[in-house]
Amino acid sequence: MGAFETEKPAKDAAVVETQSPEEDLNQPSPLRKIISVASIAAGLQFGWALQLSLLTPYVQLLGIPHKWSSLIWLCGPVSGMIVQPIVGYHSDRCTSRFGRRRPFIAAGAALVAVAVFLIGYAADFGHKMGDKLEQDTARVRAIGIFAFGFWILDVANNTLQGPCRAFLADLSAGDAKRTRVANGFFSFFMAVGNVLGYAAGSYSNLHKMFPFAMTKACDIYCANLKSCFFLSITLLLIVTVSSLWYVKDKQWSPAVNSGDEKASKVPFFGEIFGAFKVMQRPMWMLLMVTALNWIAWFPFLLFDTDWMGREVYGGDSGGDAGMVKQYNKGVHAGALGLMLQSIVLLFMSLGVEWIGRKVGGAKRLWGIVNFILAIGLAMTVLVSKLAAEHRKTAGELAGPSSGVRAGALSLFAVLGIPLAITFSIPFALASIFSNSSGAGQGLSIGVLNLAIVIPQMIISLGGGSFDALFGGGNLPVFVVGAIAAAISGVLALTVLPSPPPDAPALKSGSSVILPLRISKHTNEDGFESEGIPLRRGLHI
C-alpha cells in the first residue's frame, strides 16, 4: 500500500507537468531556459542578415533590373502584415499536445530549410530547365524559382519569429522584469546572428568549404551565397532542435470560467479593427513616428550593399567582367560594414536604458537618434560623390580610396546606434500605451507591425521606379529616407507623449495590467495636460 501511495503522487506530478494547469503559468521559468529559447534568434537572424546583404545583388545577377529588384522584397512586408499576426493569434489558441508555440517554431524552421534550398539552387534548377547563361539574358526560370523560395523564406521567418517571442513571454509568466530580460537576450542573439551573417557574407572564399557549391550555372558569388545558407540552416536547426527538446511548452486549453472560450470565438480581424477603434492619441502618434522612421530605414536596409557595389566601388552587376568583379568587391565590403553595424548594435542594445535616463527619457533618445539617422543617410551622397571623383583620376576599376572606404564603413557602424533604438523603444512604448485601450499587448504589437510593414511595401513598390526617375542608382531614395528620418525625429520630440515613470506591474492571470492612477490634473481621457498617460509600468 505504501508503495502504491508513493507511486501515485509521482504519477500525479507527471500529469501536472503534461497538462500544465493555469497556476503553473504564473511561475517564471529559469533563466537558462529563457536563454535557450532566445538563442533561436541567432539562427533566425543569421539568415535574415544574409538576405539583407547578399540577395538584392544576387537577383540582379540573375537578370532582374535594378529598378525592379525591390519588388522581390514585397514578400517581407506582405507576410509580416498577414502571416505573423495570424500565426501569433492561432498559436495563442493551439491545443496541440506538444504545446502552443513549439509546433509553429518547428514548422517555421523546416520551411526555412526548404526555402534556403530553393534559393541557393535557383540558378542550377533554372539552367536544367532551359535558362541561357549569357551575361545580358534574364534567367526567367531561375528568377521564378528564386522568387518562390524567397516568399517561402519570409513566410517561414514570420512563422518562426512570432511564436518564438510569444514563447519567451510564456516563460516569463507575466513577470515584468523577467520579460525585459527575455527580450534583452532575444535582441542580444539577434545581434549575434547579424554579426555571423554579415561576417559570412563578407568572406569571399567561403565556397571553398563546399566545393560542390560552384557549378556551371552558379559562379563564385552564387557559390558563396549557397555556402552561407548552408551554415545558416545548420545553426538554425541546431539551436531550434536543442531549445525545443530542452524547454517544454505548456499545453493549453480554453478556460471556460475565465472567459477565454468566449474570447476565442472573436474573429481575428475583428480584434484588429477593434484595436484601431479604441486606440488613443499616444498610440496614434507612435504609429505615425514609427511609419516615418521605417520609410527612412527600409531604403538603406534594402540597398546598402548595392550602394557599396555601385556608387562607392563603381561596379555594375550587369556590366562586363571587370565591372561585375568590382561590384562584387563592393557588396562584400558592404557586408563587412553591416557586420560592424551589428557589433555597434550589440553593445548599444545593452546600454539603451542607461542612455535613455541620461538624455531625459525614451522619446527624447528616439528623437535624437533619428537625427543621427538623417545625417547618416544624407552623408551617403557625399561619400558617393567623393568616390566618383576618385575614379575620374584613378580609373573606373580603381575602386574607392582608403579614406572613402573608411568613411563608408564608418557610416554603417554609426547607423548601428539608431538601429538599436528602432529595435527596442517603439515596441516598449507600444506595450505601455496599449494598456490605456485594453486591446492587449500582443494585439497592440501586431498593430504597430502594420506601421512597419506598410512603409516597406511603399518603398518596395516605388523605390526602384523613383530612383530611375533621377537617373538610377540608390541616392534619390536615400535622400527621401533622410528627410523622413528628420521629420520623425521632430515628431518624436514634439507630439509623441512621454512614457510614464516606472512602477511595478500588477499581474492578472498571464497578462500584465498597468493600473490607471487618477488625479485632479487628468482629463476625461486619462491624460495630463501635456498628453502624457498617467499609467505606470515597464521601465525603458
Side-chain angles (χ1 to χ4, degrees):
M1 185 69 177
F4 175 76
E5 289 176 349
T6 303
E7 182 180 357
K8 183 177 180 182
K11 187 179 293 185
D12 290 343
V15 172
V16 167
E17 175 65 24
T18 302
Q19 293 180 345
S20 294
E22 187 175 358
E23 55 265 27
D24 284 350
L25 295 175
N26 294 326
Q27 300 299 321
S29 296
L31 187 60
R32 63 181 182 274
K33 293 189 175 183
I34 288 177
I35 293 175
S36 178
V37 174
S39 68
I40 296 175
L44 180 67
Q45 201 66 20
F46 193 145
W48 181 244
L50 294 175
Q51 284 182 260
L52 291 176
S53 61
L54 299 180
L55 287 192
T56 292
Y58 180 58
V59 298
Q60 295 181 48
L61 290 175
L62 292 179
I64 299 179
H66 175 267
K67 68 177 182 179
W68 301 117
S69 62
S70 61
L71 294 178
I72 294 291
W73 288 86
L74 267 178
C75 56
V78 169
S79 63
M81 183 171 61
I82 299 175
V83 175
Q84 191 174 113
I86 291 178
V87 167
Y89 178 83
H90 287 289
S91 73
D92 284 340
R93 293 155 176 78
C94 178
T95 57
S96 168
R97 65 187 179 91
F98 298 105
R100 291 193 291 174
R101 318 297 182 187
R102 290 198 298 174
F104 291 92
I105 294 174
L111 282 175
V112 168
V114 173
V116 164
F117 180 77
L118 290 175
I119 291 173
Y121 282 89
D124 297 297
F125 291 152
H127 179 56
K128 289 184 180 297
M129 295 169 65
D131 279 345
K132 304 297 182 181
L133 301 182
E134 283 79 6
Q135 183 69 38
D136 297 328
T137 303
R139 307 182 193 180
V140 179
R141 296 165 186 83
I143 292 170
I145 295 170
F146 169 85
F148 180 64
F150 195 49
W151 276 78
I152 294 178
L153 182 60
D154 270 296
V155 168
N157 283 340
N158 283 290
T159 302
L160 183 59
Q161 184 173 354
C164 189
R165 285 186 179 273
F167 199 4
L168 289 174
D170 295 342
L171 296 175
S172 301
D175 183 274
K177 181 178 180 181
R178 187 57 61 94
T179 301
R180 294 197 300 269
V181 170
N183 281 282
F185 276 113
F186 194 85
S187 298
F188 173 82
F189 281 110
M190 284 180 66
V192 170
N194 276 336
V195 172
L196 293 175
Y198 295 140
S202 65
Y203 183 54
S204 60
N205 292 318
L206 199 62
H207 66 283
K208 293 181 180 179
M209 295 177 58
F210 307 94
F212 58 87
M214 193 169 177
T215 64
K216 183 178 180 181
C218 186
D219 60 9
I220 292 179
Y221 184 87
C222 171
N224 274 321
L225 179 66
K226 275 186 191 176
S227 303
C228 289
F229 273 129
F230 290 153
L231 296 177
S232 169
I233 194 58
T234 300
L235 176 61
L236 177 61
L237 292 179
I238 289 174
V239 295
T240 301
V241 171
S242 60
S243 296
L244 297 187
W245 173 80
Y246 175 60
V247 183
K248 304 302 179 184
D249 196 1
K250 297 173 182 177
Q251 191 174 356
W252 179 85
S253 60
V256 177
N257 293 334
S258 67
D260 288 345
E261 184 177 23
K262 180 179 178 181
S264 65
K265 297 179 181 178
V266 178
F268 165 71
F269 289 104
E271 290 195 19
I272 286 287
F273 292 130
F276 278 110
K277 288 182 180 179
V278 299
M279 277 197 314
Q280 296 183 358
R281 181 177 176 272
M283 194 65 185
W284 283 110
M285 295 298 102
L286 176 61
L287 294 181
M288 181 170 61
V289 176
T290 300
L292 286 167
N293 191 222
W294 277 96
I295 288 176
W297 266 118
F298 197 61
F300 188 77
L301 294 177
L302 181 60
F303 294 118
D304 44 18
T305 54
D306 185 68
W307 169 67
M308 285 290 286
R310 288 178 180 274
E311 279 84 359
V312 179
Y313 274 74
D316 186 354
S317 61
D320 56 29
M323 297 296 283
V324 171
K325 183 179 180 180
Q326 197 67 19
Y327 178 80
N328 289 339
K329 286 183 180 179
V331 170
H332 286 298
L336 174 62
L338 289 171
M339 185 185 70
L340 297 175
Q341 183 183 94
S342 297
I343 294 174
V344 174
L345 167 65
L346 188 149
F347 287 104
M348 184 66 185
S349 297
L350 299 176
V352 169
E353 185 173 348
W354 180 83
I355 297 173
R357 289 198 302 266
K358 292 297 182 180
V359 301
K363 78 158 193 173
R364 182 171 295 179
L365 175 59
W366 195 14
I368 291 172
V369 299
N370 278 339
F371 286 113
I372 295 177
L373 173 60
I375 294 172
L377 292 176
M379 288 295 291
T380 60
V381 178
L382 176 61
V383 172
S384 300
K385 298 302 181 184
L386 292 176
E389 289 297 325
H390 175 73
R391 287 195 298 272
K392 290 180 180 179
T393 57
E396 287 296 321
L397 299 180
S401 65
S402 57
V404 170
R405 184 175 184 272
L409 294 178
S410 297
L411 274 182
F412 276 91
V414 169
L415 290 180
I417 297 173
L419 190 61
I421 307 304
T422 300
F423 284 167
S424 57
I425 285 181
F427 299 96
L429 291 178
S431 296
I432 295 173
F433 294 157
S434 67
N435 290 282
S436 63
S437 65
Q441 301 285 342
L443 194 59
S444 296
I445 295 297
V447 171
L448 180 67
N449 192 53
L450 295 179
I452 297 173
V453 299
I454 290 176
Q456 292 180 7
M457 293 176 66
I458 293 173
I459 297 299
S460 295
L461 286 170
S465 299
F466 181 79
D467 284 338
L469 290 176
F470 293 90
N474 300 296
L475 295 183
V477 75
F478 284 2
V479 172
V480 171
I483 295 172
I487 296 174
S488 67
V490 172
L491 293 179
L493 293 173
T494 55
V495 303
L496 184 66
S498 297
D502 188 25
L506 302 180
K507 285 187 281 186
S508 175
S510 60
S511 300
V512 179
I513 307 298
L514 306 183
L516 178 63
R517 174 172 56 87
I518 303 295
S519 73
K520 63 181 180 179
H521 300 293
T522 53
N523 58 27
E524 60 181 2
D525 293 323
F527 291 86
E528 294 176 338
S529 58
E530 295 180 356
I532 302 175
L534 295 180
R535 292 179 176 269
R536 301 170 64 85
L538 299 179
H539 180 60
I540 304 174

